[in-house]
């Protein structure tokens, strides 16, 4: 395994009135193996566009993505804002469907860590929003992806539920380390989760700053520690203020 290198020279869209809109320009980013990287940038700056390019859902761009993860069969996991569970399948069946072969022990262990063992035979309509997000996280980890992309996955959750799901995600990630690229516009959320923060400019998107989060993992559920790191960040890096 190795780091992932992303270099996008140019990504343009043709708008409805046939004009060209440059969404991403001269964008360079390296994702260190098994690190948790959070992208923070204003709405409409190009974050989803970037994830779609990395996931190979969008091939209309100039540049290259070096993902040396060929030894892994299912090399990209993608968790969207909406969990996209199949309503006519149970929680467990939704997870099994992501796998090529039955792996009961892995699913049991993932359900246990995410505290969903008791509801594994429920259908999605009987799940809370937080539970649905936890199922989509399990489904993505189950395929053991070379990179896990997460696009504002907790945006619709209330604050206590979001905090709980973030804690469970980190627990799972510690047990099963993966390279994660997580998009958010919430700086406190990014500080609670990330090893490294990447701040992005408004359209056309490029990297403004990369900052390591130095709060020990054991203190990441301490709101005061998060807030004081945030204040410190805004003083040390005034260039990020206008992006938030
Ligand atoms: P973000 O996820 O950061 O909010 P997006 O990647 O969705 O931003 O969009 C970046 C920019 O590209 C926005 O200005 C958006 O309007 C534009 N855009 C996104 N998708 C399309 C599309 N299919 N056609 C034209 N413009 C698009
Ligand atoms: Mg988006």
């Amino acid at each position: 395994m190795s780091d992932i290198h992303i270099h996008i020279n140019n990504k343009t869209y043709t708008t409805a009135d046939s004009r060209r809109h440059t969404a991403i320009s001269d964008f360079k980013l390296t994702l260190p193996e098994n690190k948790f990287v959070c992208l923070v940038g204003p709405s409409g700056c190009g974050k989803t566009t970037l994830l779609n390019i990395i996931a190979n859902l969008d091939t209309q761009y100039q540049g290259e993505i070096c993902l040396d993860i060929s030894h892994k069969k299912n090399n990209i996991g993608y968790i969207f804002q909406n969990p996209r569970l199949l309503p006519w399948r149970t929680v467990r069946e939704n997870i099994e469907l992501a796998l090529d072969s039955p792996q009961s022990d892995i699913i049991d262990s993932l359900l246990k860590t995410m505290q969903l063992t008791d509801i594994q035979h429920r259908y999605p309509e009987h799940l809370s929003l937080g539970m649905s997000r936890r199922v989509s996280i399990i489904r993505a980890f189950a395929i053991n992806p070379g990179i896990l992309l997460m696009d504002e996955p907790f945006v619709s959750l209330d604050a206590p539920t979001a905090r709980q799901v973030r804690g469970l995600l980190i627990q799972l990630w510690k047990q099963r380390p993966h390279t994660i690229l997580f998009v958010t516009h919430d700086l406190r959320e990014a500080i609670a989760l990330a090893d490294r923060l990447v701040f992005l400019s408004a359209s056309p998107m490029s990297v403004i700053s990369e900052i390591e989060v130095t709060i020990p993992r054991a203190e990441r559920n301490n709101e005061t520690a998060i807030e004081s790191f945030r204040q410190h960040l805004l003083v040390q890096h005034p260039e990020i203020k206008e992006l938030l």
Side-chain angles (χ1 to χ4, degrees):
M1 286 225 279
S2 58
D3 299 348
I4 294 168
H5 301 282
I6 299 161
H7 185 191
I8 298 170
N9 295 317
N10 192 48
K11 162 68 194 174
T12 55
Y13 284 116
T14 305
T15 57
D17 55 357
S18 303
R19 282 183 299 152
R20 307 290 289 168
H21 168 72
T22 303
I24 303 178
S25 171
D26 195 23
F27 180 95
K28 279 192 194 134
L29 183 64
T30 294
L31 304 176
E33 185 185 343
N34 292 342
K35 292 286 181 197
F36 200 126
V37 176
C38 277
L39 296 179
V40 186
S43 181
C45 76
K47 304 180 292 295
T48 298
T49 301
L50 173 69
L51 295 200
N52 288 341
I53 288 174
I54 298 172
N56 215 19
L57 298 176
D58 181 349
T59 53
Q60 305 296 304
Y61 68 97
Q62 282 87 52
E64 56 180 359
I65 313 290
C66 298
L67 292 158
D68 180 20
I69 48 179
S70 47
H71 63 292
K72 287 194 179 184
K73 223 164 149 197
N74 299 297
N75 53 22
I76 292 164
Y78 202 155
I79 299 179
F80 306 93
Q81 224 164 28
N82 175 334
R84 302 188 182 189
L85 303 178
L86 296 178
W88 58 89
R89 301 281 189 169
T90 64
V91 164
R92 189 168 186 107
E93 288 166 350
N94 265 282
I95 298 164
E96 283 167 349
L97 279 171
L99 297 165
D100 294 332
S101 55
Q103 298 176 51
S104 286
D105 47 341
I106 291 178
I107 296 177
D108 288 342
S109 145
L110 290 164
L111 285 164
K112 186 164 180 251
T113 304
M114 293 307 269
Q115 299 176 4
L116 290 175
T117 306
D118 292 347
I119 58 101
Q120 61 180 300
H121 301 301
R122 277 197 205 169
Y123 286 87
E125 65 175 324
H126 300 297
L127 302 178
S128 66
L129 281 180
M131 286 171 180
S132 308
R133 296 310 182 285
R134 278 140 71 191
V135 177
S136 66
I137 291 170
I138 292 182
R139 202 175 41 180
F141 271 86
I143 66 167
N144 194 23
I147 178 169
L148 185 47
L149 307 169
M150 301 182 77
D151 196 358
E152 309 206 45
F154 308 143
V155 85
S156 51
L157 302 180
D158 60 66
T161 307
R163 198 174 312 127
Q164 180 209 20
V165 180
R166 281 199 294 268
L168 291 169
L169 166 65
I170 293 298
Q171 225 167 298
L172 192 58
W173 173 68
K174 279 187 193 158
Q175 279 174 14
R176 298 168 186 272
H178 280 79
T179 305
I180 297 186
L181 187 57
F182 185 107
V183 165
T184 180
H185 58 258
D186 178 348
L187 181 53
R188 286 187 186 84
E189 172 168 79
I191 296 169
L193 290 169
D195 294 312
R196 178 181 297 176
L197 306 172
V198 177
F199 290 92
L200 306 168
S201 71
S203 206
M205 185 174 87
S206 61
V207 175
I208 299 281
S209 305
E210 293 191 52
I211 298 165
E212 302 295 312
V213 181
T214 50
I215 310 173
R217 286 274 164 201
E219 291 171 32
R220 297 294 185 101
N221 52 6
N222 178 338
E223 295 292 326
T224 317
I226 302 285
E227 182 53 25
S228 87
F229 187 87
R230 192 182 75 91
Q231 298 289 349
H232 179 74
L233 206 61
L234 295 175
V235 173
Q236 295 289 314
H237 299 272
E239 75 277 10
I240 67 175
K241 268 189 204 152
E242 63 193 75
L243 308 171
L244 302 170

mmCIF file of all heavy atoms in Angstrom, residues 3-9 24 26-32 37 39 49-51 53-55 61-67 147 149 179-181 198 205 207 210:
data_model
loop_
_atom_site.group_PDB
_atom_site.id
_atom_site.type_symbol
_atom_site.label_atom_id
_atom_site.label_comp_id
_atom_site.label_asym_id
_atom_site.label_seq_id
_atom_site.Cartn_x
_atom_site.Cartn_y
_atom_site.Cartn_z
ATOM 1 N N ASP A 3 0.789 5.973 -0.418
ATOM 2 C CA ASP A 3 0.021 7.209 -0.423
ATOM 3 C C ASP A 3 -0.749 7.343 -1.741
ATOM 4 O O ASP A 3 -0.394 6.731 -2.738
ATOM 5 C CB ASP A 3 0.970 8.405 -0.280
ATOM 6 C CG ASP A 3 1.737 8.348 1.036
ATOM 7 O OD1 ASP A 3 1.371 7.541 1.909
ATOM 8 O OD2 ASP A 3 2.701 9.126 1.166
ATOM 9 N N ILE A 4 -1.775 8.179 -1.704
ATOM 10 C CA ILE A 4 -2.569 8.417 -2.911
ATOM 11 C C ILE A 4 -2.285 9.841 -3.392
ATOM 12 O O ILE A 4 -2.340 10.789 -2.599
ATOM 13 C CB ILE A 4 -4.067 8.221 -2.599
ATOM 14 C CG1 ILE A 4 -4.324 6.745 -2.253
ATOM 15 C CG2 ILE A 4 -4.939 8.673 -3.766
ATOM 16 C CD1 ILE A 4 -5.683 6.458 -1.661
ATOM 17 N N HIS A 5 -1.946 9.969 -4.661
ATOM 18 C CA HIS A 5 -1.602 11.288 -5.208
ATOM 19 C C HIS A 5 -2.690 11.749 -6.179
ATOM 20 O O HIS A 5 -3.076 11.010 -7.078
ATOM 21 C CB HIS A 5 -0.266 11.222 -5.942
ATOM 22 C CG HIS A 5 0.858 10.775 -5.054
ATOM 23 N ND1 HIS A 5 1.474 11.603 -4.160
ATOM 24 C CD2 HIS A 5 1.431 9.552 -4.898
ATOM 25 C CE1 HIS A 5 2.394 10.930 -3.498
ATOM 26 N NE2 HIS A 5 2.378 9.676 -3.920
ATOM 27 N N ILE A 6 -3.143 12.971 -5.948
ATOM 28 C CA ILE A 6 -4.214 13.526 -6.789
ATOM 29 C C ILE A 6 -3.678 14.797 -7.428
ATOM 30 O O ILE A 6 -3.152 15.676 -6.738
ATOM 31 C CB ILE A 6 -5.439 13.875 -5.913
ATOM 32 C CG1 ILE A 6 -5.969 12.615 -5.226
ATOM 33 C CG2 ILE A 6 -6.532 14.560 -6.740
ATOM 34 C CD1 ILE A 6 -6.841 12.894 -4.016
ATOM 35 N N HIS A 7 -3.788 14.878 -8.735
ATOM 36 C CA HIS A 7 -3.395 16.111 -9.424
ATOM 37 C C HIS A 7 -4.422 16.385 -10.520
ATOM 38 O O HIS A 7 -4.508 15.635 -11.490
ATOM 39 C CB HIS A 7 -1.986 15.971 -10.026
ATOM 40 C CG HIS A 7 -1.510 17.249 -10.634
ATOM 41 N ND1 HIS A 7 -0.400 17.343 -11.419
ATOM 42 C CD2 HIS A 7 -2.025 18.505 -10.566
ATOM 43 C CE1 HIS A 7 -0.243 18.594 -11.814
ATOM 44 N NE2 HIS A 7 -1.218 19.312 -11.307
ATOM 45 N N ILE A 8 -5.205 17.415 -10.315
ATOM 46 C CA ILE A 8 -6.206 17.768 -11.334
ATOM 47 C C ILE A 8 -5.819 19.119 -11.916
ATOM 48 O O ILE A 8 -5.830 20.138 -11.221
ATOM 49 C CB ILE A 8 -7.617 17.803 -10.725
ATOM 50 C CG1 ILE A 8 -7.966 16.407 -10.192
ATOM 51 C CG2 ILE A 8 -8.643 18.259 -11.764
ATOM 52 C CD1 ILE A 8 -9.208 16.345 -9.364
ATOM 53 N N ASN A 9 -5.415 19.099 -13.176
ATOM 54 C CA ASN A 9 -5.024 20.356 -13.840
ATOM 55 C C ASN A 9 -6.245 21.226 -14.054
ATOM 56 O O ASN A 9 -6.215 22.426 -13.832
ATOM 57 C CB ASN A 9 -4.390 20.073 -15.205
ATOM 58 C CG ASN A 9 -3.091 19.307 -15.050
ATOM 59 O OD1 ASN A 9 -2.293 19.619 -14.180
ATOM 60 N ND2 ASN A 9 -2.901 18.279 -15.865
ATOM 61 N N ILE A 24 -12.442 23.185 -11.020
ATOM 62 C CA ILE A 24 -11.202 22.859 -10.315
ATOM 63 C C ILE A 24 -10.022 23.255 -11.199
ATOM 64 O O ILE A 24 -10.040 22.997 -12.404
ATOM 65 C CB ILE A 24 -11.112 21.349 -9.990
ATOM 66 C CG1 ILE A 24 -12.331 20.906 -9.171
ATOM 67 C CG2 ILE A 24 -9.826 21.017 -9.231
ATOM 68 C CD1 ILE A 24 -12.358 19.421 -8.837
ATOM 69 N N ASP A 26 -5.607 23.433 -11.178
ATOM 70 C CA ASP A 26 -4.302 23.174 -10.560
ATOM 71 C C ASP A 26 -4.436 22.703 -9.104
ATOM 72 O O ASP A 26 -3.917 23.332 -8.182
ATOM 73 C CB ASP A 26 -3.422 24.428 -10.636
ATOM 74 C CG ASP A 26 -1.967 24.064 -10.342
ATOM 75 O OD1 ASP A 26 -1.615 22.889 -10.530
ATOM 76 O OD2 ASP A 26 -1.219 24.942 -9.895
ATOM 77 N N PHE A 27 -5.079 21.587 -8.936
ATOM 78 C CA PHE A 27 -5.349 21.034 -7.599
ATOM 79 C C PHE A 27 -4.402 19.865 -7.337
ATOM 80 O O PHE A 27 -4.366 18.899 -8.112
ATOM 81 C CB PHE A 27 -6.808 20.557 -7.544
ATOM 82 C CG PHE A 27 -7.193 19.966 -6.219
ATOM 83 C CD1 PHE A 27 -7.810 20.747 -5.259
ATOM 84 C CD2 PHE A 27 -6.950 18.627 -5.932
ATOM 85 C CE1 PHE A 27 -8.165 20.217 -4.026
ATOM 86 C CE2 PHE A 27 -7.310 18.092 -4.705
ATOM 87 C CZ PHE A 27 -7.922 18.892 -3.758
ATOM 88 N N LYS A 28 -3.635 19.982 -6.239
ATOM 89 C CA LYS A 28 -2.699 18.896 -5.899
ATOM 90 C C LYS A 28 -2.903 18.496 -4.452
ATOM 91 O O LYS A 28 -2.953 19.358 -3.577
ATOM 92 C CB LYS A 28 -1.254 19.363 -6.040
ATOM 93 C CG LYS A 28 -0.758 19.334 -7.445
ATOM 94 C CD LYS A 28 0.761 19.536 -7.458
ATOM 95 C CE LYS A 28 1.215 19.842 -8.863
ATOM 96 N NZ LYS A 28 2.126 20.946 -8.977
ATOM 97 N N LEU A 29 -3.005 17.183 -4.206
ATOM 98 C CA LEU A 29 -3.200 16.710 -2.842
ATOM 99 C C LEU A 29 -2.645 15.296 -2.726
ATOM 100 O O LEU A 29 -2.850 14.468 -3.608
ATOM 101 C CB LEU A 29 -4.706 16.708 -2.512
ATOM 102 C CG LEU A 29 -5.103 16.304 -1.099
ATOM 103 C CD1 LEU A 29 -4.577 17.302 -0.070
ATOM 104 C CD2 LEU A 29 -6.629 16.214 -0.973
ATOM 105 N N THR A 30 -1.941 15.042 -1.606
ATOM 106 C CA THR A 30 -1.470 13.686 -1.317
ATOM 107 C C THR A 30 -2.191 13.195 -0.071
ATOM 108 O O THR A 30 -2.259 13.912 0.934
ATOM 109 C CB THR A 30 0.056 13.686 -1.086
ATOM 110 O OG1 THR A 30 0.681 14.031 -2.325
ATOM 111 C CG2 THR A 30 0.551 12.307 -0.652
ATOM 112 N N LEU A 31 -2.737 12.000 -0.158
ATOM 113 C CA LEU A 31 -3.417 11.407 0.992
ATOM 114 C C LEU A 31 -2.507 10.323 1.564
ATOM 115 O O LEU A 31 -2.289 9.292 0.927
ATOM 116 C CB LEU A 31 -4.745 10.783 0.573
ATOM 117 C CG LEU A 31 -5.719 11.725 -0.134
ATOM 118 C CD1 LEU A 31 -6.958 10.948 -0.587
ATOM 119 C CD2 LEU A 31 -6.123 12.871 0.782
ATOM 120 N N PRO A 32 -1.954 10.551 2.767
ATOM 121 C CA PRO A 32 -1.059 9.536 3.346
ATOM 122 C C PRO A 32 -1.857 8.278 3.709
ATOM 123 O O PRO A 32 -3.008 8.364 4.134
ATOM 124 C CB PRO A 32 -0.512 10.214 4.604
ATOM 125 C CG PRO A 32 -0.884 11.662 4.499
ATOM 126 C CD PRO A 32 -2.100 11.720 3.646
ATOM 127 N N VAL A 37 -8.248 12.437 6.390
ATOM 128 C CA VAL A 37 -8.090 13.801 5.873
ATOM 129 C C VAL A 37 -9.470 14.424 5.678
ATOM 130 O O VAL A 37 -10.353 13.807 5.086
ATOM 131 C CB VAL A 37 -7.315 13.796 4.536
ATOM 132 C CG1 VAL A 37 -7.238 15.204 3.939
ATOM 133 C CG2 VAL A 37 -5.908 13.230 4.737
ATOM 134 N N LEU A 39 -11.622 17.595 4.076
ATOM 135 C CA LEU A 39 -11.656 18.734 3.159
ATOM 136 C C LEU A 39 -12.671 19.724 3.683
ATOM 137 O O LEU A 39 -13.825 19.361 3.917
ATOM 138 C CB LEU A 39 -12.116 18.287 1.771
ATOM 139 C CG LEU A 39 -11.252 17.307 0.998
ATOM 140 C CD1 LEU A 39 -11.922 16.995 -0.340
ATOM 141 C CD2 LEU A 39 -9.869 17.889 0.759
ATOM 142 N N THR A 49 -17.507 17.410 -6.773
ATOM 143 C CA THR A 49 -16.885 17.186 -8.083
ATOM 144 C C THR A 49 -15.577 16.408 -7.913
ATOM 145 O O THR A 49 -15.312 15.438 -8.632
ATOM 146 C CB THR A 49 -16.611 18.545 -8.775
ATOM 147 O OG1 THR A 49 -17.849 19.240 -8.927
ATOM 148 C CG2 THR A 49 -15.950 18.368 -10.123
ATOM 149 N N LEU A 50 -14.769 16.818 -6.931
ATOM 150 C CA LEU A 50 -13.490 16.139 -6.672
ATOM 151 C C LEU A 50 -13.711 14.675 -6.283
ATOM 152 O O LEU A 50 -13.059 13.772 -6.818
ATOM 153 C CB LEU A 50 -12.730 16.869 -5.556
ATOM 154 C CG LEU A 50 -11.460 16.173 -5.079
ATOM 155 C CD1 LEU A 50 -10.381 16.200 -6.158
ATOM 156 C CD2 LEU A 50 -10.937 16.794 -3.796
ATOM 157 N N LEU A 51 -14.643 14.422 -5.367
ATOM 158 C CA LEU A 51 -14.874 13.032 -4.933
ATOM 159 C C LEU A 51 -15.352 12.178 -6.112
ATOM 160 O O LEU A 51 -14.935 11.026 -6.247
ATOM 161 C CB LEU A 51 -15.889 12.967 -3.789
ATOM 162 C CG LEU A 51 -15.508 13.609 -2.449
ATOM 163 C CD1 LEU A 51 -16.379 13.054 -1.322
ATOM 164 C CD2 LEU A 51 -14.059 13.428 -2.079
ATOM 165 N N ILE A 53 -14.598 12.548 -9.201
ATOM 166 C CA ILE A 53 -13.435 12.267 -10.060
ATOM 167 C C ILE A 53 -12.601 11.145 -9.443
ATOM 168 O O ILE A 53 -12.231 10.184 -10.122
ATOM 169 C CB ILE A 53 -12.586 13.552 -10.251
ATOM 170 C CG1 ILE A 53 -13.326 14.531 -11.177
ATOM 171 C CG2 ILE A 53 -11.211 13.210 -10.821
ATOM 172 C CD1 ILE A 53 -12.656 15.891 -11.318
ATOM 173 N N ILE A 54 -12.342 11.236 -8.131
ATOM 174 C CA ILE A 54 -11.532 10.190 -7.479
ATOM 175 C C ILE A 54 -12.236 8.838 -7.576
ATOM 176 O O ILE A 54 -11.614 7.804 -7.785
ATOM 177 C CB ILE A 54 -11.261 10.548 -6.001
ATOM 178 C CG1 ILE A 54 -10.455 11.844 -5.911
ATOM 179 C CG2 ILE A 54 -10.508 9.417 -5.298
ATOM 180 C CD1 ILE A 54 -10.316 12.383 -4.491
ATOM 181 N N ALA A 55 -13.572 8.864 -7.441
ATOM 182 C CA ALA A 55 -14.343 7.610 -7.481
ATOM 183 C C ALA A 55 -14.521 7.079 -8.904
ATOM 184 O O ALA A 55 -15.153 6.047 -9.112
ATOM 185 C CB ALA A 55 -15.713 7.833 -6.845
ATOM 186 N N TYR A 61 -12.071 15.219 -17.185
ATOM 187 C CA TYR A 61 -11.173 16.208 -16.567
ATOM 188 C C TYR A 61 -9.766 15.990 -17.099
ATOM 189 O O TYR A 61 -9.463 14.944 -17.690
ATOM 190 C CB TYR A 61 -11.185 16.060 -15.033
ATOM 191 C CG TYR A 61 -10.566 14.770 -14.542
ATOM 192 C CD1 TYR A 61 -9.241 14.738 -14.117
ATOM 193 C CD2 TYR A 61 -11.296 13.578 -14.538
ATOM 194 C CE1 TYR A 61 -8.657 13.547 -13.695
ATOM 195 C CE2 TYR A 61 -10.714 12.399 -14.115
ATOM 196 C CZ TYR A 61 -9.400 12.385 -13.697
ATOM 197 O OH TYR A 61 -8.824 11.204 -13.286
ATOM 198 N N GLN A 62 -8.900 16.983 -16.862
ATOM 199 C CA GLN A 62 -7.487 16.829 -17.204
ATOM 200 C C GLN A 62 -6.705 16.668 -15.903
ATOM 201 O O GLN A 62 -6.832 17.506 -15.004
ATOM 202 C CB GLN A 62 -6.934 18.054 -17.936
ATOM 203 C CG GLN A 62 -7.307 18.143 -19.413
ATOM 204 C CD GLN A 62 -8.626 18.842 -19.601
ATOM 205 O OE1 GLN A 62 -8.827 19.930 -19.087
ATOM 206 N NE2 GLN A 62 -9.534 18.199 -20.321
ATOM 207 N N GLY A 63 -5.922 15.614 -15.829
ATOM 208 C CA GLY A 63 -5.122 15.399 -14.630
ATOM 209 C C GLY A 63 -4.964 13.923 -14.377
ATOM 210 O O GLY A 63 -5.278 13.102 -15.236
ATOM 211 N N GLU A 64 -4.443 13.577 -13.195
ATOM 212 C CA GLU A 64 -4.322 12.150 -12.885
ATOM 213 C C GLU A 64 -4.493 11.870 -11.400
ATOM 214 O O GLU A 64 -4.171 12.690 -10.548
ATOM 215 C CB GLU A 64 -2.997 11.571 -13.384
ATOM 216 C CG GLU A 64 -1.788 12.286 -12.865
ATOM 217 C CD GLU A 64 -0.506 11.660 -13.397
ATOM 218 O OE1 GLU A 64 -0.561 10.679 -14.143
ATOM 219 O OE2 GLU A 64 0.556 12.163 -13.018
ATOM 220 N N ILE A 65 -5.024 10.687 -11.144
ATOM 221 C CA ILE A 65 -5.228 10.213 -9.777
ATOM 222 C C ILE A 65 -4.385 8.951 -9.646
ATOM 223 O O ILE A 65 -4.619 7.989 -10.381
ATOM 224 C CB ILE A 65 -6.721 9.840 -9.531
ATOM 225 C CG1 ILE A 65 -7.683 10.917 -10.032
ATOM 226 C CG2 ILE A 65 -6.961 9.483 -8.067
ATOM 227 C CD1 ILE A 65 -7.687 12.194 -9.248
ATOM 228 N N CYS A 66 -3.390 8.964 -8.779
ATOM 229 C CA CYS A 66 -2.543 7.774 -8.608
ATOM 230 C C CYS A 66 -2.980 7.018 -7.370
ATOM 231 O O CYS A 66 -2.644 7.391 -6.244
ATOM 232 C CB CYS A 66 -1.075 8.146 -8.506
ATOM 233 S SG CYS A 66 -0.499 8.936 -9.993
ATOM 234 N N LEU A 67 -3.747 5.986 -7.605
ATOM 235 C CA LEU A 67 -4.248 5.141 -6.528
ATOM 236 C C LEU A 67 -3.570 3.791 -6.691
ATOM 237 O O LEU A 67 -3.975 3.003 -7.526
ATOM 238 C CB LEU A 67 -5.757 4.927 -6.679
ATOM 239 C CG LEU A 67 -6.722 6.081 -6.476
ATOM 240 C CD1 LEU A 67 -8.027 5.800 -7.184
ATOM 241 C CD2 LEU A 67 -7.010 6.255 -5.006
ATOM 242 N N ILE A 147 -9.537 3.398 -0.563
ATOM 243 C CA ILE A 147 -9.832 4.760 -0.098
ATOM 244 C C ILE A 147 -11.333 4.837 0.185
ATOM 245 O O ILE A 147 -12.148 4.252 -0.536
ATOM 246 C CB ILE A 147 -9.403 5.842 -1.116
ATOM 247 C CG1 ILE A 147 -9.771 7.246 -0.597
ATOM 248 C CG2 ILE A 147 -9.989 5.606 -2.491
ATOM 249 C CD1 ILE A 147 -9.175 8.388 -1.386
ATOM 250 N N LEU A 149 -14.337 7.510 0.620
ATOM 251 C CA LEU A 149 -14.764 8.886 0.378
ATOM 252 C C LEU A 149 -16.053 9.137 1.143
ATOM 253 O O LEU A 149 -16.978 8.324 1.077
ATOM 254 C CB LEU A 149 -15.019 9.100 -1.123
ATOM 255 C CG LEU A 149 -13.876 8.716 -2.056
ATOM 256 C CD1 LEU A 149 -14.343 8.722 -3.507
ATOM 257 C CD2 LEU A 149 -12.693 9.664 -1.862
ATOM 258 N N THR A 179 -7.556 4.705 4.484
ATOM 259 C CA THR A 179 -7.351 6.089 4.052
ATOM 260 C C THR A 179 -8.732 6.707 3.831
ATOM 261 O O THR A 179 -9.523 6.183 3.049
ATOM 262 C CB THR A 179 -6.553 6.118 2.733
ATOM 263 O OG1 THR A 179 -5.347 5.381 2.923
ATOM 264 C CG2 THR A 179 -6.243 7.545 2.313
ATOM 265 N N ILE A 180 -9.010 7.791 4.564
ATOM 266 C CA ILE A 180 -10.336 8.407 4.456
ATOM 267 C C ILE A 180 -10.219 9.845 3.966
ATOM 268 O O ILE A 180 -9.378 10.606 4.447
ATOM 269 C CB ILE A 180 -11.084 8.383 5.815
ATOM 270 C CG1 ILE A 180 -11.337 6.939 6.259
ATOM 271 C CG2 ILE A 180 -12.403 9.151 5.724
ATOM 272 C CD1 ILE A 180 -12.193 6.785 7.515
ATOM 273 N N LEU A 181 -11.074 10.206 3.011
ATOM 274 C CA LEU A 181 -11.199 11.597 2.566
ATOM 275 C C LEU A 181 -12.635 12.017 2.872
ATOM 276 O O LEU A 181 -13.585 11.490 2.280
ATOM 277 C CB LEU A 181 -10.906 11.701 1.065
ATOM 278 C CG LEU A 181 -10.826 13.120 0.502
ATOM 279 C CD1 LEU A 181 -9.779 13.952 1.215
ATOM 280 C CD2 LEU A 181 -10.528 13.091 -0.995
ATOM 281 N N VAL A 198 -7.606 20.056 5.164
ATOM 282 C CA VAL A 198 -7.232 20.682 3.890
ATOM 283 C C VAL A 198 -8.276 21.744 3.589
ATOM 284 O O VAL A 198 -9.462 21.421 3.418
ATOM 285 C CB VAL A 198 -7.171 19.640 2.758
ATOM 286 C CG1 VAL A 198 -6.852 20.312 1.430
ATOM 287 C CG2 VAL A 198 -6.142 18.557 3.072
ATOM 288 N N MET A 205 -11.663 25.560 -7.528
ATOM 289 C CA MET A 205 -11.141 25.042 -6.269
ATOM 290 C C MET A 205 -9.640 24.720 -6.349
ATOM 291 O O MET A 205 -9.179 24.085 -7.290
ATOM 292 C CB MET A 205 -11.912 23.765 -5.919
ATOM 293 C CG MET A 205 -11.543 23.187 -4.568
ATOM 294 S SD MET A 205 -12.624 21.807 -4.176
ATOM 295 C CE MET A 205 -11.739 20.476 -4.971
ATOM 296 N N VAL A 207 -6.074 24.171 -3.295
ATOM 297 C CA VAL A 207 -5.756 24.016 -1.871
ATOM 298 C C VAL A 207 -5.173 25.320 -1.325
ATOM 299 O O VAL A 207 -4.217 25.859 -1.877
ATOM 300 C CB VAL A 207 -4.740 22.855 -1.663
ATOM 301 C CG1 VAL A 207 -4.301 22.775 -0.201
ATOM 302 C CG2 VAL A 207 -5.353 21.536 -2.103
ATOM 303 N N GLU A 210 -2.857 23.317 4.332
ATOM 304 C CA GLU A 210 -2.977 21.970 4.908
ATOM 305 C C GLU A 210 -2.452 22.047 6.329
ATOM 306 O O GLU A 210 -1.336 22.521 6.552
ATOM 307 C CB GLU A 210 -2.154 20.961 4.110
ATOM 308 C CG GLU A 210 -2.701 20.734 2.723
ATOM 309 C CD GLU A 210 -2.051 19.539 2.044
ATOM 310 O OE1 GLU A 210 -2.020 18.444 2.645
ATOM 311 O OE2 GLU A 210 -1.550 19.726 0.925
#
